[in-house]
Amino acid sequence: MAEDDTNGNGAAEGLPPPPPVPPDYTPAKTEIEPVKKKSLRVPMARRGTGNKGQKIQILTNHFKVNVTNVDGHFFHYSVALFYEDGRPVDAKGVGRKVLDRVHETYDTELAGKDFAYDGEKSLFTIGALPRNKMEFTVVLEDMTSSRNNGNSSPGGHGSPNETDRKRLRRPYQSKTFKVEISFAAKIPMQAIANALRGQESENSQEALRVLDIILRQHAAKQGCLLVRQSFFHNDPKNFVDVGGGVLGCRGFHSSFRTTQSGLSLNIDVSTTMIIQPGPVVDFLISNQNAKDPFSLDWAKAKRMLKNLRVKTSPTNQEYKITGLSEKPCREQLFTLKQKGKDADGEVQTMEVTVYDYFVNQRNIELRYSADLPCINVGKPKRPTYFPIELCSLVSLQRYTKSLSTFQRSSLVEKSRQKPQERMQVLSNALKINKYDAEPLLRACGISISSQFTQIEGRVLPPPKLKTGNDDFVPRNGRWNFNNKRLVDPQKIERWAVVNFSARCNVQGLVGDLIKCGKMKGIMVEDPFDVFEESPQVRRAPPLVRVEKMFEQVQSKLPGAPKFLLCLLPERKNCDVYGPWKRKNLAEYGIVTQCIAPTRVNDQYITNVLLKINAKLGGLNSMLTVEHSPSIPMVSKVPTIIIGMDVSHGSPGQSDVPSIAAVVSSRQWPSISRYRASVRTQSPKVEMIDNLFKRVSDTEDEGIMREALLDFYVSSGKRKPEHIIIFRDGVSESQFNQVLNVELDQIIEACKFLDEKWNPKFVVIVAQKNHHTKFFQPNDPNNVPPGTIIDNKVCHPRNYDFYLCAHAGMIGTTRPTHYHVLYDELGFSADDLQELVHNLSYVYQRSTTAISVVAPICYAHLAATQMGQWMKFEDASETSSSHGGVSNAGPVSVPQLPKLEEKVSSSMFFC
């Protein structure tokens, strides 16, 4: 390196001096760049708090944190681990063991300092270590279970069996590790105090990260499973069985947050999924819902077990499963080394079956393993087999596949807690965790209060609603349509019923619809016909069943129906649903409602009619302020309201496209009528990439153009002057992208339609996956609907608030956290909060306030429904998903079919 430098300098010295710069030349050139950079939008600051509503005292699961040592520094060190031969360590989970050993062995070299290690490549101390670069060597005796009790066979023959020891020794002898610790950065603790004053910086985020890492390490030392900011103790009291060999494991989330009232520790109950510990066979039987080990699908079992950790009996050694044996235990051979040597001094070997070895040489009784495959825990070239009944799955191993509908509903049912119960559990958690004893927190001068933070909330009054014959105020976030007519009822005509083998009294159902419709103001004509699926088609693939049903409908009906009521045999996961919706909406433009009638009563029929009416273009109820129109900022100037969301495949599926949905209001000044555009995009990409999609100088195929043109046509040829965007599902780290990538695309789409058009924007993000909860002191119920909080536990600088618009009936209410990132309209806090609250009351599918604004809810529904269209496509084209081609290069994203024109602006998602 040094040599290069002198060469560089030498060359520079040999050159003539640079020519003089014209005074007005370069500055102009360099100025252009920074101006662009400066115009990056950042989340806006709070403009004040709201005052409307009745004040209410509330407790929240934020615990006050006092920091006394503000002058200290965190020192950040990079950690590199190597094996003895210099290969880097890539095995997960070894790091903590190695660094614990470094801490024990080299206490004096580390000047007695404690450190916080993140388990990967970062280590933090309070104050510096003696040197900027340090190297250590440590030895770990046994990389597996500390509860190893020798390899002696259960026959009790004294010394451990020699051959066993050889077979077991290789992966598990003591290992030597080299550890390099080198200085990376210095973080002033003062940064935390600055963040509390609203001056966030890289340093303040890092400093809070260090505090979170201290808590994670604290949990790791207690033997917890760590999942991001949550930790789970190995205690069967915390496990609930959700079926399929999967358990829900209850633990805690904890994170430090900067708030208006100072630093707080947010602690909440959290649940993760784990594999049922215990005998491998028991797990496989529940996982595959089999009746005994002999009816298991072993190919499926092999995929399921790979990389799981097992303990083997009787030695209690721990291994990672690498596969299954090709043959059953009594036939699977391996090479066993003999004790003696032959005449040439070579070690003698013989081929034995795994069964024979364990039963005859080790005297272990095997009850049922003889005809089942063995568990392989060895390397690809050197398999190591164990009979399956000697293997037990270790506790706290995460299950990361997506849950089935039944598992999910079982989990929700078993893990919900009433507010009082949750408070009790959280209070106990603080006591159990003994954070006061954590030496690093003490060194930072940090103490954590054990009291829930008390704050003042406000309960907003519910908006007045209008039906066809009545104006009324909902009570406790709910209302009903008893003796009420719909505000804009449609006529159900030219319609028919199709029945996919559902058992139900179809004539009775139709009679109920007609009778109930009449009371609500909906004229329901008699259906043209009822089409029953023929019994021989019932077992056919879903696509075939749908085709056959359509052939029947087309052969009997005089023309295309306006509406089809479809009866399905099962409520959840019916595989006909996706293809049926797609056929109706994409190919024929027919409005359709699917139902799986089990308990049919008046309430059920009313709910079905509400959905049908909305899909046909009607309106069930509306806000009176929408009718009169008198909504601040919205009613006087053409305003479009947009809801945006991206839904991703489950964690295990990396090649399933993500689905972006954008819902937009229509027929201004209404804020109750919406349409949706849905597109696929690259898997796991959160930013919507099709908002503006220029294909030529005059063509834009983006989503926004569709929404804006529909608004223009449906709102009496008016362009929206205000665009209010609600964005769901983005974390704080992505706010800047929403403001600078997505908003830019939306502005481009507007400019592309009309260069001179400058609408004003509001951008609001809604988050539900956070851990702030609210409780009423001395009241077992959830906070009342309309509860809003914009002080104390909110952001020190940014404009955010929490709203519980809905009545939490079961479990503990999860508030929606709204972040106002951008507001060019200059809303007052009260007006904006009221608009958000009102938008929770315009959801056409139910007679309740909902927990998040309707446009976002509709975006979820639209994405989910059209995602079902994709699902069966994947099933029908297996070649692409299993071919080896897909791994090379980026995967091309299959496009969704477009909605047929007649339904393209309908509320098909209702």
Side-chain angles (χ1 to χ4, degrees):
M1 272 310 284
E3 223 169 41
D4 287 353
D5 279 355
T6 51
N7 273 356
N9 293 347
E13 276 165 13
L15 288 173
V21 179
D24 53 289
Y25 176 63
T26 26
K29 190 86 174 144
T30 48
E31 280 297 280
I32 294 170
E33 277 308 297
V35 167
K36 261 198 169 159
K37 281 208 172 67
K38 246 183 225 153
S39 67
L40 281 182
R41 303 180 192 95
V42 293
M44 64 181 283
R46 187 183 302 281
R47 289 188 183 143
T49 53
N51 296 308
K52 272 193 184 160
Q54 191 180 350
K55 294 195 167 35
I56 176 178
Q57 291 305 310
I58 284 175
L59 296 175
T60 173
N61 58 341
H62 283 238
F63 299 88
K64 196 151 181 43
V65 177
N66 276 321
V67 189
T68 52
N69 177 7
V70 284
D71 302 327
H73 285 81
F74 290 122
F75 282 75
H76 176 187
Y77 294 88
S78 300
V79 176
L81 301 180
F82 302 95
Y83 293 112
E84 212 172 356
D85 58 7
R87 285 177 304 128
V89 174
D90 51 0
K92 271 207 150 78
V94 182
R96 284 191 194 276
K97 290 179 183 158
V98 173
L99 277 144
D100 282 348
R101 183 53 54 89
V102 168
H103 195 245
E104 287 164 28
T105 318
Y106 295 100
D107 191 47
T108 45
E109 286 82 341
L110 292 165
K113 276 206 180 300
D114 288 304
F115 50 65
Y117 174 53
D118 71 350
E120 304 270 327
K121 297 192 163 76
S122 293
L123 178 149
F124 299 89
T125 57
I126 294 162
L129 290 174
R131 294 203 305 285
N132 276 352
K133 195 169 170 88
M134 307 177 88
E135 291 191 11
F136 302 106
T137 305
V138 289
V139 177
L140 291 187
E141 285 70 45
D142 174 14
M143 287 304 297
T144 58
S145 161
S146 49
R147 295 188 287 282
N148 185 3
N149 46 21
N151 285 338
S152 54
S153 57
H157 292 306
S159 72
N161 181 329
E162 180 62 26
T163 50
D164 279 10
R165 226 210 250 136
K166 283 210 175 94
R167 299 201 59 243
L168 288 171
R169 196 175 64 213
R170 264 194 75 199
Y172 301 99
Q173 71 239 63
S174 61
K175 277 201 173 144
T176 303
F177 293 91
K178 288 206 285 241
V179 183
E180 288 180 5
I181 297 177
S182 43
F183 172 75
K186 183 175 167 183
I187 307 155
M189 290 187 196
Q190 189 62 44
I192 297 175
N194 295 347
L196 293 171
R197 288 198 296 272
Q199 302 161 354
E200 279 195 330
S201 63
E202 197 104 330
N203 269 339
S204 63
Q205 285 162 0
E206 276 295 292
L208 290 179
R209 202 185 95 178
V210 178
L211 297 182
D212 283 332
I213 288 168
I214 294 174
L215 291 196
R216 279 175 63 85
Q217 175 173 282
H218 185 72
K221 288 209 160 98
Q222 297 169 19
C224 290
L225 161 69
L226 303 180
V227 183
R228 292 188 292 278
Q229 299 273 306
S230 300
F231 48 92
F232 303 90
H233 290 270
N234 186 12
D235 178 353
K237 283 206 300 289
N238 300 335
F239 301 165
V240 291
D241 189 346
V242 299
V246 181
L247 307 181
C249 174
R250 187 177 288 167
F252 298 99
H253 160 95
S254 69
S255 60
F256 286 96
R257 322 266 322 161
T258 47
T259 68
Q260 289 145 310
S261 57
L263 192 61
S264 69
L265 179 64
N266 177 207
I267 298 186
D268 193 19
V269 176
S270 173
T271 304
T272 192
M273 309 318 299
I274 61 169
I275 298 273
Q276 167 189 318
V280 170
V281 163
D282 294 357
F283 164 70
L284 290 174
I285 288 172
S286 0
N287 183 248
Q288 297 188 15
N289 201 6
K291 59 179 191 298
D292 56 39
F294 306 104
S295 43
L296 288 167
D297 169 347
W298 290 101
K300 196 170 166 191
K302 183 176 176 178
R303 286 197 301 274
M304 196 63 232
L305 292 174
K306 194 168 165 58
N307 292 332
L308 291 178
R309 297 192 314 280
V310 283
K311 278 219 167 102
T312 58
S313 125
T315 60
N316 220 16
Q317 276 274 24
E318 195 177 297
Y319 302 92
K320 189 188 258 182
I321 299 179
T322 50
L324 296 173
S325 61
E326 296 293 317
K327 298 186 174 134
C329 185
R330 68 161 89 241
E331 294 169 28
Q332 183 66 51
L333 293 165
F334 72 99
T335 309
L336 179 64
K337 291 179 181 161
Q338 295 298 88
K339 278 199 177 131
K341 298 190 175 179
D342 63 10
D344 306 331
E346 289 294 311
V347 176
Q348 289 179 306
T349 59
M350 63 185 255
E351 293 287 304
V352 289
T353 66
V354 176
Y355 183 81
D356 181 41
Y357 167 74
F358 276 91
V359 172
N360 299 328
Q361 305 225 7
R362 301 213 20 210
N363 299 330
I364 295 172
E365 183 197 351
L366 294 179
R367 296 194 321 276
Y368 58 80
S369 294
D371 297 309
L372 303 178
C374 305
I375 298 277
N376 179 9
V377 298
K379 300 261 185 334
K381 297 263 187 322
R382 253 188 81 99
T384 304
Y385 296 119
F386 281 98
I388 198 159
E389 72 190 74
L390 299 183
C391 299
S392 271
L393 289 159
V394 175
S395 191
L396 291 187
Q397 301 192 71
R398 279 187 77 196
Y399 176 80
T400 52
K401 298 189 172 48
S402 59
L403 296 181
S404 70
T405 317
F406 304 108
Q407 285 173 322
R408 184 169 286 119
S409 59
S410 165
L411 174 70
V412 168
E413 200 176 311
K414 290 175 177 171
S415 58
R416 59 184 177 220
Q417 294 171 305
K418 288 255 178 271
Q420 296 297 79
E421 188 190 343
R422 188 174 283 241
M423 284 181 80
Q424 193 55 56
V425 170
L426 295 177
S427 293
N428 291 344
L430 267 175
K431 292 192 187 86
I432 304 163
N433 287 321
K434 300 201 181 71
Y435 288 135
D436 303 344
E438 169 56 56
L440 284 162
L441 290 181
R442 283 164 76 170
C444 306
I446 281 183
S447 58
I448 299 166
S449 157
S450 57
Q451 301 299 310
F452 285 73
T453 300
Q454 181 149 5
I455 54 178
E456 189 176 76
R458 293 172 288 121
V459 182
L460 299 179
K464 204 170 188 185
L465 297 183
K466 183 173 194 57
T467 56
N469 54 348
D470 188 18
D471 290 5
F472 65 95
V473 176
R475 292 185 51 188
N476 196 24
R478 340 174 53 80
W479 61 98
N480 60 48
F481 273 105
N482 300 346
N483 312 321
K484 296 188 182 80
R485 298 166 81 80
L486 306 187
V487 75
D488 175 16
Q490 297 296 298
K491 194 172 180 185
I492 300 180
E493 55 187 355
R494 290 194 14 226
W495 71 288
V497 181
V498 301
N499 183 6
F500 283 101
S501 310
R503 292 202 191 102
C504 116
N505 169 7
V506 181
Q507 293 313 353
L509 183 74
V510 169
D512 288 346
L513 272 174
I514 293 173
K515 192 173 85 204
C516 188
K518 201 170 182 181
M519 289 158 67
K520 307 283 172 267
I522 296 177
M523 275 302 300
V524 185
E525 289 186 353
D526 285 333
F528 184 87
D529 205 345
V530 175
F531 298 96
E532 296 280 353
E533 183 173 47
S534 65
Q536 59 265 43
V537 181
R538 193 179 304 175
R539 299 263 176 279
L543 286 165
V544 176
R545 292 174 69 184
V546 169
E547 283 300 331
K548 289 273 184 251
M549 186 61 88
F550 252 93
E551 283 166 20
Q552 243 197 94
V553 172
Q554 281 169 315
S555 65
K556 293 259 186 77
L557 289 185
K562 271 190 163 176
F563 170 69
L564 288 174
L565 181 68
C566 167
L567 309 185
L568 298 175
E570 56 260 345
R571 232 183 96 217
K572 295 268 192 259
N573 289 2
C574 183
D575 52 7
V576 179
Y577 180 85
W580 172 257
K581 284 285 183 190
R582 174 179 175 158
K583 190 93 182 153
N584 280 275
L585 295 171
E587 291 180 34
Y588 292 99
I590 298 169
V591 174
T592 167
Q593 175 64 51
C594 293
I595 57 175
T598 41
R599 295 191 299 274
V600 176
N601 54 23
D602 272 6
Q603 180 69 56
Y604 182 85
I605 297 287
T606 303
N607 287 346
V608 170
L609 282 167
L610 294 180
K611 285 158 67 75
I612 296 172
N613 190 50
K615 286 175 178 173
L616 288 170
L619 207 53
N620 303 326
S621 61
M622 66 195 293
L623 303 165
T624 51
V625 288
E626 202 178 350
H627 184 254
S628 55
S630 56
I631 305 168
M633 300 288 183
V634 174
S635 300
K636 300 286 178 277
V637 178
T639 300
I640 187 171
I641 294 177
I642 291 190
M644 310 201 303
D645 179 46
V646 177
S647 64
H648 307 289
S650 60
Q653 307 167 303
S654 54
D655 52 350
V656 175
S658 292
I659 297 179
V662 175
V663 162
S664 54
S665 63
R666 53 201 311 271
Q667 294 185 22
W668 176 80
S670 170
I671 59 168
S672 293
R673 296 177 189 269
Y674 292 86
R675 68 181 297 282
S677 295
V678 183
R679 306 281 172 93
T680 48
Q681 58 185 41
S682 304
K684 306 277 184 279
V685 172
E686 186 50 63
M687 289 298 122
I688 300 179
D689 61 8
N690 280 325
L691 291 167
F692 174 64
K693 191 177 176 190
R694 182 178 180 153
V695 280
S696 74
D697 287 350
T698 52
E699 282 176 287
D700 159 22
E701 288 180 358
I703 300 178
M704 277 314 294
R705 181 186 177 92
E706 278 179 32
L708 295 167
L709 287 175
D710 175 81
F711 179 90
Y712 180 74
V713 172
S714 68
S715 306
K717 298 239 159 70
R718 292 186 186 84
K719 286 185 205 136
E721 291 306 320
H722 296 165
I723 298 181
I724 300 176
I725 299 162
F726 287 94
R727 177 68 161 96
D728 187 32
V730 290
S731 60
E732 290 175 41
S733 59
Q734 296 167 313
F735 287 176
N736 287 340
Q737 280 175 283
V738 170
L739 282 176
N740 295 297
V741 179
E742 290 185 340
L743 184 53
D744 271 354
Q745 283 195 35
I746 293 170
I747 292 169
E748 274 188 76
C750 296
K751 293 284 183 206
F752 199 78
L753 281 165
D754 177 355
E755 188 55 47
K756 298 189 193 65
W757 174 34
N758 287 315
K760 291 183 170 161
F761 290 91
V762 175
V763 180
I764 301 173
V765 167
Q767 287 177 337
K768 290 214 55 179
N769 54 350
H770 57 81
H771 285 277
T772 297
K773 298 282 190 305
F774 299 117
F775 306 91
Q776 295 198 69
N778 314 319
D779 184 340
N781 296 311
N782 273 308
V783 294
T787 300
I788 195 158
I789 282 106
D790 60 1
N791 62 52
K792 272 211 169 162
V793 288
C794 292
H795 195 280
R797 171 195 174 272
N798 296 357
Y799 186 179
D800 64 335
F801 59 90
Y802 291 92
L803 173 63
C804 303
H806 63 303
M809 305 308 284
I810 42 182
T812 306
T813 298
R814 174 178 291 199
T816 300
H817 192 185
Y818 291 100
H819 301 259
V820 185
L821 302 187
Y822 198 67
D823 173 16
E824 293 184 311
L825 304 187
F827 266 108
S828 72
D830 277 325
D831 285 349
L832 187 63
Q833 290 170 6
E834 189 171 4
L835 173 67
V836 170
H837 188 224
N838 282 348
L839 283 170
S840 307
Y841 277 83
V842 299
Y843 188 59
Q844 297 299 307
R845 286 172 31 131
S846 74
T847 53
T848 61
I850 52 173
S851 63
V852 65
V853 290
I856 281 182
C857 249
Y858 290 147
H860 279 301
L861 290 171
T864 308
Q865 186 178 126
M866 288 178 83
Q868 303 273 345
W869 297 13
M870 304 286 291
K871 261 197 191 133
F872 71 90
E873 260 194 352
D874 294 350
S876 62
E877 301 162 16
T878 43
S879 57
S880 62
S881 56
H882 297 299
V885 197
S886 61
N887 301 343
V891 187
S892 69
V893 177
Q895 289 305 309
L896 280 169
K898 277 208 171 325
L899 290 166
E900 207 273 343
E901 203 167 317
K902 292 195 286 294
V903 292
S904 64
S905 290
S906 74
M907 290 179 67
F908 68 88
F909 40 79
C910 258

